[in-house]
Amino acid sequence: MGKGELKVFIMKLAPQPQELLSGNSPADYFSSYQTALSAALAHCPPNKIDAICGRLLEMIDAGRTLYVAGNGGSASIAEHLTCDWMKGTSCPGIAPLKVVSLVSNMALLTALANDCGYEYCFSAQIEALAVKGDVVFLVSSSGNSRNILEAAMAARAAGIFVIGLAGFGGGALCELADIAIHIPVKNYGLVEDAHQAIMHAVAQYLYSVRSVESRDLASLRAPLQPSSDSTN
């Protein structure tokens, strides 16, 4: 491949152009960002948050596993989600939420990208690890990242439930996912912040539900205390 061909190839890989906000100073820009982020979050349908949490609770009860993936900033969200949804929702006496990040194993990820193609770096892991009853959670600002779409198609082919978070125009991910939340904003920071807020809200809700279950189980297991007015 010549230098000219390589340049054209790289340009085709460029991210979607984003719409920047306005502001005459850093403070003004931040104020615009706050307003825009609030508007972005308003695009998140509450019924879909209900559906996501319900599906995850079913998955936990069945002892199944959540697999999560993304690219770039969305990969960071996937990693953060793995931490907060597993450790952050754990409670004494009840089974943990089992979460596996498909972006964490650099040796495996780069081997798959190098030998099979980057577009298959997540789908190959899903095909090797996931089984029916598991859930695949995919994050993509564009909704059109090839490796994310291949992951969604691999999951669907195996009968595995797919949850997707997208931004910009929504992309094919919104068509492939069983539940998709689309933040129709053309700004990477705003889309990623909205996705992160969804991730945190779900984590905190799951913890609140599971902590009540944990306390109820603990009270059932606690030994009965003798009455203070009992006699020998």
Side-chain angles (χ1 to χ4, degrees):
M1 181 181 291
K3 288 185 177 180
E5 293 175 305
L6 180 60
K7 184 176 180 180
V8 171
F9 177 73
I10 291 173
M11 287 177 66
K12 287 181 179 178
L13 299 179
Q16 294 191 38
Q18 63 175 333
E19 296 176 356
L20 298 178
L21 306 175
S22 60
N24 296 322
S25 68
D28 285 345
Y29 198 94
F30 183 71
S31 179
S32 296
Y33 195 95
Q34 286 180 302
T35 301
L37 180 56
S38 178
L41 287 169
H43 288 291
C44 180
N47 65 311
K48 290 196 174 183
I49 298 295
D50 283 344
I52 289 172
C53 290
R55 187 64 187 85
L56 292 173
L57 289 169
E58 289 175 4
M59 184 199 75
I60 296 167
D61 288 342
R64 304 312 314 165
T65 302
L66 177 73
Y67 295 92
V68 58
N71 295 288
S74 296
S76 296
I77 293 171
E79 295 281 67
H80 195 162
L81 183 154
T82 302
C83 171
D84 284 16
W85 287 17
M86 184 163 62
K87 180 183 180 297
T89 67
S90 62
C91 297
I94 59 176
L97 198 170
K98 295 185 285 188
V99 190
V100 175
S101 169
L102 301 179
V103 306
S104 295
N105 189 327
M106 284 294 102
L108 177 59
L109 193 70
T110 54
L112 290 170
N114 186 65
D115 299 343
C116 305
Y118 190 66
E119 63 267 37
Y120 304 115
C121 65
F122 300 139
S123 59
Q125 294 183 69
I126 289 171
E127 289 167 354
L129 299 172
V131 297
K132 196 166 184 177
D134 292 337
V135 174
V136 169
F137 196 107
L138 303 170
V139 188
S140 171
S141 290
S142 70
N144 278 324
S145 299
R146 177 68 184 276
N147 57 358
I148 291 295
L149 302 184
E150 291 289 346
M153 289 187 286
R156 288 177 64 89
I160 296 168
F161 198 88
V162 178
I163 299 171
L165 300 184
F168 287 76
L173 178 59
C174 288
E175 302 299 321
L176 291 169
D178 295 289
I179 302 173
I181 293 182
H182 173 211
I183 306 298
V185 176
K186 296 179 180 179
N187 180 291
Y188 283 99
L190 292 171
V191 170
E192 291 170 0
D193 283 347
H195 289 171
Q196 191 91 313
I198 292 166
M199 182 275 290
H200 278 139
V202 170
Q204 291 183 23
Y205 176 77
L206 292 176
Y207 177 74
S208 69
V209 171
R210 289 163 58 74
S211 61
V212 170
E213 181 183 351
S214 176
R215 287 197 299 271
D216 289 346
L217 286 173
S219 65
L220 289 173
R221 292 169 181 162
L224 295 174
Q225 299 297 321
S227 174
S228 60
D229 61 354
S230 62
T231 58
N232 294 327

